[in-house]
Amino acid sequence: DPGRSSVLKISGQEKDGHSVYCVEDNGIGIAREYQEKIFELFHQLNPSVEGEGLGLNIASKIMEKHNGKIWVDSELGKGTRFYISL
């Protein structure tokens, strides 16, 4: 959001025998109906932004191979939190 300063937080904790890491921002957020789609191959929410739509798909495949998981929690206008659990 160009109207506010960027904030990025990185945190981690142990939960149920897993290491869970979170990367959080205060950006524009992702609408709920798109939160699962962002992990699909070649899916981009905003095609005018540089990229191929590969990064989150690759990250999810890596997590699967290591018996981990990745997910997103986001609210429009408030920001996004990406989690990985190993």
Side-chain angles (χ1 to χ4, degrees):
D1 181 348
R4 59 184 156 180
S5 297
S6 297
V7 174
L8 182 66
K9 296 179 186 176
I10 301 171
S11 60
Q13 63 178 323
E14 189 174 325
K15 186 172 184 178
D16 300 325
H18 293 83
S19 296
V20 180
Y21 299 95
C22 177
V23 178
E24 178 179 357
D25 70 25
N26 67 332
I28 60 172
I30 302 167
R32 188 159 308 282
E33 63 265 24
Y34 298 114
Q35 290 180 14
E36 290 301 316
K37 293 180 185 229
I38 62 174
F39 295 100
E40 294 175 5
L41 190 59
F42 301 120
H43 187 83
Q44 292 180 282
L45 290 180
N46 185 350
S48 66
V49 175
E50 187 178 332
E52 302 298 328
L54 295 171
L56 289 172
N57 181 264
I58 291 169
S60 68
K61 299 297 182 197
I62 291 170
M63 296 307 297
E64 284 176 22
K65 293 221 181 270
H66 292 282
N67 297 316
K69 100 181 190 182
I70 183 170
W71 69 98
V72 65
D73 180 26
S74 185
E75 187 175 342
L76 281 176
K78 299 213 174 185
T80 301
R81 289 178 299 280
F82 280 96
Y83 294 91
I84 61 167
S85 175
L86 296 166

